[in-house]
């Protein structure tokens, strides 16, 4: 298996063009995760993706990045998934912003799923669910 050293380079390259491959297939899949199995670079990958979201990424890539983060936080290796959730929890405002923006229902769905996993203030989450309900699919309202 190839070293994960290429992940940051490939990730940055993926942001240069339009997202063509399914979420992370060209740079994360097979290195940070394989299907639902998390690999050692998963936590660093979650940190890299959260930093990119905080810094601003092209609109078309936000959905892909939310899907990658959702894969990293829901993986089968609980210890690695817990560490990924800690990374995401530290930037949960990015997830709230994604849902509130109304830009993309798929990105909002993945962001809200992650919020359900990482948000410790259940009252805040329920208030937000009600407030942003028009930006979520019917099953999350």
């Amino acid at each position: 298996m190839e070293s994960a050293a290429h992940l940051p380079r490939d990730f940055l390259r993926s942001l240069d063009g339009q997202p063509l491959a399914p979420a992370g297939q060209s740079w994360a899949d097979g290195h940070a995760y394989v299907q639902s199995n998390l690999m050692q670079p998963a936590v660093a990958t979650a940190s890299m993706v959260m930093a990119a979201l905080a810094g601003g990424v092209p609109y078309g890539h936000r959905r892909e990045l939310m899907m990658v983060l959702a894969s990293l936080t829901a993986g089968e290796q609980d210890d690695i998934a817990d560490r990924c959730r800690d990374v995401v929890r530290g930037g949960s405002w990015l997830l709230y912003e994604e849902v509130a923006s109304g830009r993309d229902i798929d990105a909002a769905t993945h962001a809200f799923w992650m919020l359900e996993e990482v948000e410790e203030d259940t009252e805040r989450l329920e208030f937000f669910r009600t407030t942003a309900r028009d930006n979520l699919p019917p099953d999350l309202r």
Side-chain angles (χ1 to χ4, degrees):
M1 177 176 273
E2 181 181 5
S3 156
H6 67 94
L7 277 171
R9 179 190 67 238
D10 292 351
F11 172 67
L12 291 173
R13 280 188 193 149
S14 77
L15 296 177
D16 284 340
Q18 292 299 315
L20 301 174
Q25 184 176 19
S26 63
W27 59 272
D29 191 19
H31 305 283
Y33 54 84
V34 176
Q35 296 177 355
S36 62
N37 294 306
L38 300 177
M39 312 301 276
Q40 285 303 318
V43 178
T45 301
S47 297
M48 180 177 66
V49 170
M50 290 297 286
L53 288 167
V57 295
Y59 165 77
H61 293 278
R62 296 184 73 82
R63 183 174 129 206
E64 174 189 7
L65 298 181
M66 289 296 166
M67 292 172 72
V68 168
L69 281 175
S71 294
L72 295 172
T73 59
E76 292 182 18
Q77 288 66 31
D78 290 338
D79 58 331
I80 298 173
D82 285 344
R83 292 177 25 225
C84 289
R85 284 190 289 272
D86 287 342
V87 168
V88 171
R89 185 177 294 111
S92 63
W93 62 273
L94 293 165
L95 305 179
Y96 279 110
E97 191 276 332
E98 189 64 45
V99 175
S101 75
R103 287 183 292 250
D104 183 291
I105 196 164
D106 290 332
T109 299
H110 285 87
F112 199 83
W113 284 341
M114 287 183 284
L115 283 168
E116 289 180 315
E117 291 294 318
V118 303
E119 180 57 72
E120 295 167 344
D121 185 341
T122 57
E123 288 181 23
R124 177 183 4 199
L125 185 61
E126 287 310 309
F127 173 80
F128 196 77
R129 180 192 311 264
T130 302
T131 304
R133 67 183 312 245
D134 291 340
N135 299 339
L136 295 169
D139 63 315
L140 291 180
R141 294 180 186 168

